[in-house]
Amino acid sequence: MTLTDAQRLFKKGQKLLEKGEFNKAAWAFAAALEEEDAVPTRNNLAVALFMAGKPGEALEALAPALEGGEAGARAHPFTYALASRLCTALNREEEARAWLDRSVEVFEGLVAEMLSTRGEVPPGLADCTTLILQAAAALKDYPLVLELYRRWKPYHSSPENTFLAGAACFNLGRYNLAAALWSSIAGVHPYSSGLQQVAFLVQRGVIPPFQMNFDTFYGRPAPEKPLEPTSLEEGLERAFQDGYIRMSSLVLILQRGEHHDAAKAAHALVLYGGEWGRKLGLSILDSPLFGRAVKMGAARALVEAGVLPEGEPFSMVLDGQKRKVELKKVPIVTEPNPEVDAVVKKALELRGKGKVDEALKLLWNLYEKGPYSPQAVLTLADLLREKGEVEQALILVQELEELAPGDPTVLFYSAALMFLLDRLEEARQRLGNINRAAVPAELRRKIEFLDQEIQLQELLADLPQGLAEMFEEEERKKIEEKPLPVDPTLARGLKNMPAGWLDAACLRYGLEPARLRRDREKQLIEFLTCRENLERILQEDIEGEDRVLLKYLLRKGGWSRLNAVTRKFGSMEGDGFFWEEKDPNSCLGFLWSRALVMVGRAVIDGRRTKIATIPVELRRPLQEILLGKP
């Protein structure tokens, strides 16, 4: 079937609208209208003009479908809801309210008609609920948003409706209900988990209350006549009064944790957020929920805003403890400095003796008191990487990136840390910014090696399914080969588990994984060494052959050679490696993924032998629960 010119132009306009090219889309819809006047075309033309920051023109384009007559008789609830949005944008609230009422009336009339004649509401009609709820939200009639959401529950076709109901609850101060609504669309709406966290923290008083003003219809329309700020600072202050930017920044802080972007977002929210920002900053310093990077970003902003005195100590919760911290400007040392060199040399000596924590203490002290030395910061970052605190190491290196943009050594360190965090594209970008011909031979070799590693990881990502599964099996078998005592502590067993497995174990036990690996290990140790938790796990999650395997190991004294276990209960072949994405199928893999059993190689009778073992702290309580004896 051949498309008419009007249909062809309409389809072109839709594609441009989806791509965000609103002015071009408006031209295509206007051309389609010249060929054939139709309400859907007018609706789309009005949307394009609205998104281009022209609500007045959009309302003019919509007018023939609103004025009665043949076109008006065919108007859709969408048309009336859109008219309401446009009038709200033009500060014509009374008209906006009238069009909103009309859209609700027409929608419910059509629903009744469809149910009586067809027994169902067609998807095209059900889709109107989203724009009607948005129109009510634009008028800040949050009780109406909730009322319509509940009334039209059978017709919701988009998670956007639940999002809007949650936003209405948030603005009404019903934070727990907002969190519950957003939780119900987890995995469907891109920011639902972050929004849920913000709602919980506002409810708990950690984040000061504020009003959301999300516009979610094809994004946010451009303002018709944007106010020109008189200065950059005024523009930033105006931006951070906006509820959309506040919420987006808070979600970024909570989701990116120790990432440099989170620290920058905290700094901007506190410095430019007015009185609300000052309260947020002080709360961030006093809360154990935020990491060092976010706290330092907030602290710098509070000093710049004059809330905290520069050069005088103030209180901050760091690593769960209340500490006195002092922020002051320190000189940046780029030339050789005997004092700094001595500290770095001492730290490296301590590292060589295995005293990494002492070395870190020395370098943190230098970092906080000054002078600021790029070499010392790189050494500190390298030690943090050794300790598994890669995110914190990257924050320090990104500070150096700002101070010395284009420095090849800093770019290499940044790329290497991003590679460890599986941020391959960003790592490749930084390596691409290095002029390899101009760097020393040793650094060039390191760059080339890292480049090859990135290429290998990208190749593995593109492997056919069969080869990818083989790779996963090999990666898991590497973990099985790690040394492990026959009677390991839970902490020792967790050290062998990859970071992704720790994340998976936390999530399966209903724990929000901590940002740092060492804290995730502590979470699991505290959870699993609680008798009540173990009893609940065994009752709700461990059954059938999994229970039998635990009893078998307990009767063997808590551990067994792996070949004896696999003969009786099956091997872990096919369990893969990425357990944070997919649960292992075997009994042994299932129990290992929950940190109840560990696998590794122990020295038995002078030979390295694979074993399966229950961590020593868990043996007695498991024996009492499963075997009924101490």
Side-chain angles (χ1 to χ4, degrees), residues 152-199:
W152 295 343
K153 204 159 188 179
Y155 317 126
H156 297 319
S157 57
S158 168
E160 205 69 36
N161 293 15
T162 304
F163 164 78
L164 287 163
C169 290
F170 187 90
N171 286 347
L172 290 168
R174 301 173 66 179
Y175 303 113
N176 284 334
L177 182 53
L181 285 165
W182 287 330
S183 175
S184 71
I185 53 172
V188 182
H189 196 282
Y191 304 114
S192 59
S193 61
L195 296 169
Q196 181 186 356
Q197 285 180 283
V198 172

Side-chain angles (χ1 to χ4, degrees), residues 433-452:
N433 289 334
I434 299 174
N435 179 5
R436 301 188 189 189
V439 301
E442 179 62 25
L443 179 56
R444 185 161 59 249
R445 281 194 293 272
K446 291 180 180 179
I447 292 168
E448 288 168 356
F449 177 77
L450 179 57
D451 202 7
Q452 291 171 2

Side-chain angles (χ1 to χ4, degrees), residues 119-139:
E120 62 179 2
V121 177
L125 180 58
D127 288 344
C128 291
T129 55
T130 302
L131 185 57
I132 297 173
L133 290 177
Q134 289 170 351
L139 280 166

Side-chain angles (χ1 to χ4, degrees), residues 22 26 50 57 110 130 162 216 346 382 386 393 415 447 474 502 517 538 564 571 594 628:
F22 303 121
F50 179 38
E57 291 181 37
L110 287 172
T130 302
T162 304
T216 57
K346 179 65 175 175
D382 204 36
E386 280 188 21
I447 292 168
E474 289 302 316
L502 298 179
R517 178 191 173 101
L538 291 168
S571 74
R594 280 145 177 81

Side-chain angles (χ1 to χ4, degrees), residues 28 46 48 107 128 140 164 274 294 346 352 371 397 409 412-413 443 481 494 511 513 516 584-585 607:
F107 174 77
C128 291
K140 300 185 179 179
L164 287 163
V294 170
K346 179 65 175 175
V397 174
T409 303
F412 168 75
Y413 267 81
L443 179 56
E481 294 290 334
L494 291 173
L511 307 172
L516 301 179
N585 293 317
R607 299 180 63 183

Side-chain angles (χ1 to χ4, degrees), residues 73 102 140 151 168 206 280 332 358 381 524 588:
R102 179 68 174 143
K140 300 185 179 179
R151 190 194 305 175
V206 176
L280 174 67
I332 298 175
E358 290 182 41
L524 288 168
L588 190 55

